[in-house]
Amino acid sequence: MKRILTILASVAMVMAAVSCETEQTPSLSFGKSHYVLLADAPLTVELTTDIAPAADLTVELSFTGEAVEGTDYSVSAKSVVIPAGQVSGSITITPENNYTADKSIVISMILPAGYEAGDNATATVAVEAKELLIYSFEVAQANVADSYVVKLNLSGSVTGNDWVATSDMEIPYSVSPALTEALTVGAENFVVKKGENVAVLTVNAGEIEGDPQKFVVSVDEDKAGERFVAGSNASIELAVFGAMKLSKLVGTWEFVETLDLDELVFWFEEYYIAGDDTCNPELLPTHNEGFSFTISEEDGVYTLTPSAEGDWTKYFRECQIDYCAPIEDNLCSEGVVTGPYTTLENQMYVAEADGVSDLTYTWFSLSSVYRHFDANADATGTGAIAIANDIEGNLIILIKDYDQPPFGELWWDPGYDPDMFSFASRFVKAE
């Protein structure tokens, strides 16, 4: 009996020894030993364990290194919580005023009782330095008829125009005088998307009576901080006209100029073929000195009546005029539809002529026009024009569609080109 007890005791001791040898001490390890905190993007740092805890596990952290917490960066928490039954937790490090290069953060863990350090006992975070950003509004002046997208170009003090945002960014702005019902904005800040270097802000016009109201939009430097430095256009002046209304067009409008005519003729001459009169620049419908048109209203019906002089009489005839939806195939380069009757467009000759990169156009249908530019009653039909205000309140008119014209056959192939064939013209209201 004594011998049996001795044998059982020996077996128990062996089993206990085996149990001790197989019992595993849990370890804690950072997800990586090295991280990079980008200039403008938050960073997630993960802490993992190889055995899920039975209860929530809190691991305290310490932060050292050249980078200063609260100045160069901020952290979401000073500890990581690994929830019960899970094997990882994390914190977020957010870049702040990290303008100086060659800084890093060293994160260490304070091991809880019963845990040992794993492969990555510490994590070193290289802090990417923010470069100064030079901002410049795309244009110094613009008008707002319905809506307008204000663009703020950004370049880096080191990378120049190659700078792009590493995450979505917001840039605060200020408006003077204060916003009213005449002008509203679509966001609290300028927004530049990740991977881009242009910040945008959409503004919308309300009801305007009388002369246009002017607002100056600029970057709020106090809120934006020392990182942002003004470039060539430190602000933009917006002349708010309100939505283009037929009632505002009532009266007589006189032709002033075909915008950037020399450039138009130059490109036309590039396609000149000796002996082919259809490529003769003199055939372009740009001889409009003395041309005018009058818009009148009776019982809510608006009528356009052209004068008898000028090439535009080969397009216009007396007709009714009303709003129409934009013809998307007839938008100028990079043009966008902004409303039921409006588009925001950059017509190449408009931009060259008056320095306005984008105008908001209101589209109108004409019940009858000479579609072949030949004043032939057999060639009449409906037409479309787009009208915008320039910065002085004059009208910029684009012809938006017509049948094949009797000029520039090479230009016409494969069809209507709104950049080349709109014949952008400026009109001023008669006194």
Side-chain angles (χ1 to χ4, degrees):
M1 182 67 179
K2 183 176 180 180
R3 184 176 179 183
I4 293 174
L5 292 174
T6 302
I7 293 172
L8 290 174
S10 299
V11 171
M13 292 176 62
V14 170
M15 292 179 66
V18 171
S19 176
C20 290
E21 290 176 1
T22 58
E23 184 177 332
Q24 184 179 354
T25 301
S27 65
L28 290 167
S29 178
F30 287 101
K32 295 191 297 185
S33 60
H34 289 85
Y35 292 86
V36 176
L37 178 62
L38 298 177
D40 300 298
L43 170 69
T44 298
V45 176
E46 188 179 45
L47 191 66
T48 64
T49 181
D50 49 3
I51 299 177
D56 289 355
L57 175 67
T58 300
V59 182
E60 300 294 333
L61 303 175
S62 66
F63 298 82
T64 57
E66 301 88 354
V68 178
E69 183 190 352
T71 300
D72 297 309
Y73 69 95
S74 61
V75 294
S76 60
K78 295 293 188 66
S79 60
V80 173
V81 176
I82 300 178
Q86 298 186 26
V87 294
S88 66
S90 64
I91 61 167
T92 300
I93 303 177
T94 301
E96 299 295 343
N97 301 317
N98 46 312
Y99 297 114
T100 306
D102 301 324
K103 287 185 177 182
S104 63
I105 308 166
V106 178
I107 310 175
S108 304
M109 68 181 93
I110 301 172
L111 290 171
Y115 283 81
E116 64 182 9
D119 293 336
N120 300 325
T122 62
T124 300
V125 180
V127 179
E128 182 182 88
K130 288 180 178 177
E131 58 181 319
L132 294 177
L133 296 182
I134 302 168
Y135 66 85
S136 177
F137 286 89
E138 188 170 65
V139 293
Q141 293 178 312
N143 62 350
V144 184
D146 183 19
S147 66
Y148 182 80
V149 178
V150 181
K151 297 180 180 178
L152 190 66
N153 297 320
L154 300 170
S155 61
S157 57
V158 177
T159 58
N161 293 331
D162 292 331
W163 178 88
V164 294
T166 54
S167 65
D168 290 356
M169 291 177 56
E170 294 188 351
I171 304 173
Y173 62 84
S174 61
V175 181
S176 178
L179 290 170
T180 66
E181 293 182 355
L183 184 70
T184 59
V185 294
E188 294 183 358
N189 298 293
F190 275 97
V191 176
V192 54
K193 295 292 186 181
K194 177 181 178 180
E196 299 180 1
N197 58 10
V198 177
V200 297
L201 178 71
T202 300
V203 299
N204 302 289
E207 295 292 329
I208 302 292
E209 298 295 336
D211 295 334
Q213 298 185 28
K214 295 185 178 181
F215 297 84
V216 175
V217 179
S218 56
V219 170
D220 190 328
E221 294 185 347
D222 291 337
K223 294 181 179 179
E226 60 183 294
R227 186 181 188 189
F228 294 92
V229 179
S232 54
N233 291 330
S235 63
I236 179 173
E237 182 183 73
L238 300 176
V240 183
F241 292 86
M244 182 77 69
K245 293 183 178 181
L246 278 167
S247 58
K248 291 185 178 181
L249 298 178
V250 170
T252 298
W253 297 85
E254 298 174 343
F255 174 85
V256 176
E257 61 174 331
T258 300
L259 298 183
D260 206 16
L261 178 58
D262 290 344
E263 187 76 5
L264 180 66
V265 170
F266 169 79
W267 284 108
F268 196 85
E269 288 176 334
E270 287 292 296
Y271 289 94
Y272 180 78
I273 299 176
D276 185 351
D277 286 342
T278 64
C279 289
N280 182 349
E282 285 300 307
L283 293 178
L284 291 171
T286 57
H287 309 90
N288 291 300
E289 291 75 12
F291 175 79
S292 64
F293 65 88
T294 299
I295 294 180
S296 57
E297 182 269 336
E298 184 175 355
D299 298 329
V301 176
Y302 292 84
T303 300
L304 182 149
T305 304
S307 67
E309 298 182 58
D311 284 342
W312 271 40
T313 60
K314 300 175 184 177
Y315 180 78
F316 287 107
R317 59 179 292 179
E318 184 170 320
C319 60
Q320 292 182 6
I321 180 171
D322 205 348
Y323 300 100
C324 74
I327 305 169
E328 294 203 37
D329 288 343
N330 292 353
L331 267 62
C332 299
S333 299
E334 300 181 2
V336 294
V337 175
T338 58
Y341 312 117
T342 57
T343 56
L344 183 67
E345 302 187 53
N346 181 356
Q347 207 272 356
M348 57 192 295
Y349 299 113
V350 174
E352 288 294 326
D354 58 14
V356 177
S357 62
D358 297 287
L359 290 175
T360 298
Y361 289 87
T362 303
W363 288 54
F364 296 98
S365 64
L366 305 168
S367 63
S368 182
V369 296
Y370 297 115
R371 296 194 56 84
H372 295 320
F373 263 92
D374 61 3
N376 185 330
D378 295 334
T380 58
T382 58
I385 59 174
I387 301 179
N389 288 117
D390 67 12
I391 203 68
E392 300 298 330
N394 304 316
L395 297 185
I396 304 296
I397 298 182
L398 307 180
I399 296 174
K400 278 300 188 178
D401 73 321
Y402 42 81
D403 292 337
Q404 182 166 324
F407 53 82
E409 301 299 334
L410 288 177
W411 268 17
W412 186 256
D413 186 24
Y416 174 73
D417 182 344
D419 278 312
M420 304 299 286
F421 279 95
S422 298
F423 298 108
S425 301
R426 193 193 313 270
F427 286 79
V428 64
K429 196 166 189 178
E431 296 293 337

